[in-house]
Amino acid sequence: MEIDPGGGLPGGSDLDRELLEVALSAQDAVSWTYDFVEEQITWTKGMDVLLGLPRAGEEEIRARLVELLAPWTVAARTAGQGQDLDLEQSVVTAEGQTRVLHFHARLVGGQRPGGLVGLARDVTALHHDRQALTDLAGRYRLLVDLSPEAICVHQDGIIRYANPAMGAVLGVESSEQLMGRRLVDFVAPDSIPPMRERLRELETEGAVAPRARAELLRVDGTPVPVELVAVHTTWEGRPAVQVIGRDITTEQAAEAALRYQAALVDHVNNPIIALDREGVVTSWNPAAEAVYGLPADQALGRPVTELVGAPLQPEDVLAAGGRVEARHRRSDGTALVIRFSVAKMDSGYVLVCADETARRRAEQDFATVVDALDEGILVVAPTGLFVSANPAAERILGVPRSTLLGTAPESWSVFDESGQPLPAEAHPLASTQRSGVSQTARVVRLERPDGRSVWLSVTTRLLGPQDRPPQAVVASFTDITDKRAAQERLEHAATHDPLTGLANRTLVLRCVGRLRHPTRPLALLFLDLDNFKRINDSLGHVVGDEVLHTIGQRLVQATRDEALVGRLGGDEFVVLTHHENTRTLGELSERLLRALAEPIHAQGRQLHLQASIGIVLSRPGDPRAGQDLLRDADVAMYRAKAQGGGRCAFFDVELRERVQRHMVLEQDLHHSVEQDQLWVAYQPIFDLRTERTVAVEGLLRWRHPLHGTVSPGEFIPLAEESDLINSIGAHMLRTATRQLAAARQRHRLDLRLNANLSPRQLEDPGLRTIVQQALAEAGLPAHALCLEVTESAIMRDPSAATPVLHSLRELGVSLAIDDFGTGHSSLAQLRRLPFDSLKIDRSFVTDLADSDGLDVLVTSIIAMAHALGLTVVAEGVETAHQLDLLRDLGSDHAQGYYLGKPTPLEELLPAHTSR
């Protein structure tokens, strides 16, 4: 046997060999020959790789070829010349892979074949493809046969194939029973026309008719709803239609159920929201519209987190058990508490929500109330043992719940309010369980295991009144130990002044009733600091508060714990004591005044204060209430202030009547102008050189409808105190200017008017306008008006009075300083003030004839006034001798009862116009 591994065929030229190798290479084939006679095998290049023996020796390759071609060694010798032979063999490569080789050969050598010429090539991939195709066809047929979808093929209206699922739909035992039957035999009459219309649309192979619903008929005539798809195909080389359908009986029932459920969804009270997998809303029922305040058309297609105002991850909720409670928000921003569950669907998720906002708010409100009450809750089972306790009960009783549960109420040491131990049957819980009678706010004392005693207010009631005995009992209880202490602190705060720590008005009034004794009198001293307002205004309230605190301490020290000291407010203090007579009360008052007069050091300053004290004595049987005693002591205090301050004054009935009269007059004074009760009287001012009346002073008078004529000394101070003086003064000025202007014109007189200004009027920013309007309305020349201002009013605040006086002087009116000598003005001050005249106070004139020193003083006043260019008017002239003395001393004018009493203007003028 000869082996030719060089890869050539015998007898061929080199060119032929090259062409052959190219052809074989294009076919991925290797050629070979087999000589029957010589038993020689030859092969071309690449056989080693093809056999999976790369770089193998010739003997190994030959042995493998002999083995693979063995099936042909006998058959080939008996075959005819030119006959083609094919053989497929499997080989295992050196790497262990199985490879399929295809050997194709032809017999050569004349009548008696002498050998084989053939090709070998790798058909592993082709073999696999054929197998895959065979497997695919088998699987497709199996899938069609086993498909749950009903499938059939019909040609020309005759059924050619039907799978078992179609047989099941049409109610036959075997799909073979359908072969050769007419299609229309299994289609409901109403579904035949639309079916034929769809089939006409299937003009080309592969065309698909739209999915549609139809009604088929089972072999027993029962209609079956189906959903069908038709496809143009071929069957055994001819056009056919393949129909794929499914029984939708269950689906239609499900749709009906879904419609029913949708109706329920639309009518339930709970929001139901459907989402796709990305969390976008696909369904939003009316309850969701109501709860979230957003209509469905604005909710659909939007992320659910945007609509509910909070993060919402359905997968996280499902991972946490499918139920959760969260805080959401309505479209208007209102907070919501929503409890919802999540269910997963193929297309996404469904949220079923419950609006817990109202319930949660109620729970929170209830919890807040419970927390505020600090109330413990215990439940006793029918067995008589504790089975439930809240944290407050643990805290109040001082034991953990684990220790408390399982014990009996009788095992605790409980005492009544008198301190006696409660018998077991008298314990509130045991008593209610035995009798069924509730107990409310029963106060007991309980000893805790840590030795601390607590006072409890206990309420018990049956937990289930309808249950059969023995019944469970619930007890609610409050630790009132701290509450009592807190009440005491609150009581102290409510009855004591926070600045001084003294009793306040409430406690003082309470003590008035408590300290009254059936046999001993009770004295009330009302103290008010004189001019304390100046300290607050000039040094500030911090200093003022420090002063008040010091005053309170001194009052307590001065009373030596024998009385109650209180602060009513501001700079008003009160002392309650049982001193029985005016002498001891006077001594106490003097001691208090001395204590208050001591210098007070505050904020680095040394301050001096004095006080005024009003004293009222309430004897046994006095019907006056505490408020009445305070009022009367206040009245007495004002009497002490009126007497110069720094002293005490006792209240008496006469003082009360005077105060009551002043109160009535003050109220009536408010209506005096509108009821035309005020009028102006005029007193002449006499020129001592010409002995003629040159002016009249307008003096306000009040004719009261009940009390008659009220003295100016009584009602003018009332007007000053109540701020009525500005309106009354303006009314008086308008009246006096109008009356004098009319008299001047009627009698052709050159008469001036003197009108008084009160200190309050000087503080009125509209004073200049009032004077200007009064002159204009009356038609009185400005030089005919002289405004009188008291010396004390100017000295109250000279810096403030000066610009006001200059402003009035600019109107053209003249100014007079009234009651000169009662204040403390200096020559320097008079020089800066724009006065035209000076009126000597009546106190100098009254005693002028009886005092040797007064004439010198009056002479000095007149000389000083003349030196300043002021006209001098002497007031209070009541005798001819006084008039002569004043003329001799150099006074310019005089005024007094001797020259004329205040009278209506029309009565005054006839008697004085001739002078």
Side-chain angles (χ1 to χ4, degrees), residues 50-70:
L50 185 65
L51 295 178
L53 301 172
R55 297 179 298 280
E58 291 84 348
E59 289 299 324
E60 187 176 356
I61 294 174
R62 181 191 65 78
R64 178 64 62 88
L65 281 174
V66 170
E67 178 185 352
L68 293 174
L69 298 176

Side-chain angles (χ1 to χ4, degrees), residues 103 182 202 206 317 362 412 429 540 571-572 628 646 675 684 824 885:
F103 292 92
R182 294 193 313 159
L202 300 177
V317 178
W412 292 77
L429 282 164
D571 59 342
E572 296 177 343
D628 299 329
Q675 295 179 3
H824 303 282
L885 287 175

Side-chain angles (χ1 to χ4, degrees), residues 54-110:
R55 297 179 298 280
E58 291 84 348
E59 289 299 324
E60 187 176 356
I61 294 174
R62 181 191 65 78
R64 178 64 62 88
L65 281 174
V66 170
E67 178 185 352
L68 293 174
L69 298 176
W72 280 340
T73 57
V74 177
R77 296 177 187 275
T78 61
Q81 183 181 358
Q83 185 176 350
D84 289 340
L85 302 175
D86 287 285
L87 176 66
E88 285 190 358
Q89 292 281 45
S90 296
V91 298
V92 178
T93 67
E95 291 82 10
Q97 296 178 346
T98 299
R99 181 178 295 171
V100 179
L101 302 181
H102 180 264
F103 292 92
H104 179 78
R106 177 170 292 180
L107 292 171
V108 295

Side-chain angles (χ1 to χ4, degrees), residues 131-145:
Q131 186 64 42
L133 186 59
T134 302
D135 293 346
L136 180 61
R139 284 197 298 271
Y140 177 75
R141 182 58 180 262
L142 185 62
L143 287 174
V144 171
D145 287 343

Side-chain angles (χ1 to χ4, degrees), residues 732-806:
M732 179 267 178
L733 184 61
R734 288 193 298 269
T735 301
T737 53
R738 185 178 64 252
Q739 290 177 351
L740 185 64
R744 281 165 55 95
Q745 184 176 8
R746 184 165 52 253
H747 297 285
R748 298 183 181 278
L749 296 175
D750 186 15
L751 200 62
R752 298 190 308 277
L753 171 66
N754 281 33
N756 293 287
L757 292 178
S758 75
R760 287 289 183 91
Q761 286 178 282
L762 285 178
E763 298 171 356
D764 185 0
L767 177 60
R768 174 188 170 96
T769 302
I770 292 172
V771 174
Q772 193 172 19
Q773 289 178 348
L775 291 173
E777 292 172 2
L780 184 68
H783 68 267
L785 175 63
C786 178
L787 298 175
E788 298 185 7
V789 184
T790 62
E791 184 183 18
S792 59
I794 298 171
M795 291 303 102
R796 173 191 284 185
D797 192 352
S799 60
T802 300
V804 176
L805 295 177
H806 279 286

Side-chain angles (χ1 to χ4, degrees), residues 652-669:
D652 54 30
V653 176
E654 178 184 353
L655 180 59
R656 178 190 299 158
E657 292 175 350
R658 185 161 62 250
V659 170
Q660 290 175 346
R661 171 183 168 86
H662 283 180
M663 184 181 303
V664 171
L665 290 178
E666 180 183 336
Q667 295 302 316
D668 292 345
L669 193 58

Side-chain angles (χ1 to χ4, degrees), residues 20-57:
L20 179 60
E21 289 182 357
V22 171
L24 293 176
S25 175
Q27 295 290 325
D28 290 329
V30 179
S31 63
W32 55 273
T33 63
Y34 189 95
D35 188 336
F36 293 153
V37 177
E38 300 295 334
E39 292 186 354
Q40 290 182 349
I41 294 177
T42 64
W43 61 87
T44 60
K45 182 180 179 180
M47 183 61 75
D48 59 339
V49 176
L50 185 65
L51 295 178
L53 301 172
R55 297 179 298 280

Side-chain angles (χ1 to χ4, degrees), residues 633-831:
D634 189 23
V635 169
M637 182 272 296
Y638 274 106
R639 170 189 277 183
K641 280 188 178 294
Q643 293 173 350
R647 64 192 68 200
C648 65
F650 284 86
F651 179 84
D652 54 30
V653 176
E654 178 184 353
L655 180 59
R656 178 190 299 158
E657 292 175 350
R658 185 161 62 250
V659 170
Q660 290 175 346
R661 171 183 168 86
H662 283 180
M663 184 181 303
V664 171
L665 290 178
E666 180 183 336
Q667 295 302 316
D668 292 345
L669 193 58
H670 283 270
H671 310 289
S672 60
V673 173
E674 61 186 59
Q675 295 179 3
D676 199 25
Q677 297 173 6
L678 298 177
W679 60 283
V680 181
Y682 298 89
Q683 187 175 32
I685 298 175
F686 192 69
D687 189 326
L688 295 180
R689 290 188 296 274
T690 63
E691 297 185 354
R692 295 180 60 85
T693 299
V694 293
V696 291
E697 181 178 355
L699 301 170
L700 192 61
R701 295 292 184 264
W702 185 12
R703 188 181 296 109
H704 194 279
L706 295 179
H707 300 287
T709 300
V710 181
S711 167
E714 184 175 13
F715 78 80
I716 293 297
L718 292 178
E720 291 272 5
E721 294 172 4
S722 61
D723 286 338
L724 288 171
I725 192 63
N726 287 339
S727 59
I728 291 176
H731 170 72
M732 179 267 178
L733 184 61
R734 288 193 298 269
T735 301
T737 53
R738 185 178 64 252
Q739 290 177 351
L740 185 64
R744 281 165 55 95
Q745 184 176 8
R746 184 165 52 253
H747 297 285
R748 298 183 181 278
L749 296 175
D750 186 15
L751 200 62
R752 298 190 308 277
L753 171 66
N754 281 33
N756 293 287
L757 292 178
S758 75
R760 287 289 183 91
Q761 286 178 282
L762 285 178
E763 298 171 356
D764 185 0
L767 177 60
R768 174 188 170 96
T769 302
I770 292 172
V771 174
Q772 193 172 19
Q773 289 178 348
L775 291 173
E777 292 172 2
L780 184 68
H783 68 267
L785 175 63
C786 178
L787 298 175
E788 298 185 7
V789 184
T790 62
E791 184 183 18
S792 59
I794 298 171
M795 291 303 102
R796 173 191 284 185
D797 192 352
S799 60
T802 300
V804 176
L805 295 177
H806 279 286
S807 176
L808 294 173
R809 192 68 179 80
E810 291 172 357
L811 294 176
V813 302
S814 57
L815 300 174
I817 181 169
D818 193 14
D819 299 336
F820 187 82
T822 59
H824 303 282
S825 59
S826 64
L827 179 60
Q829 289 171 331
L830 289 178
R831 289 181 59 190

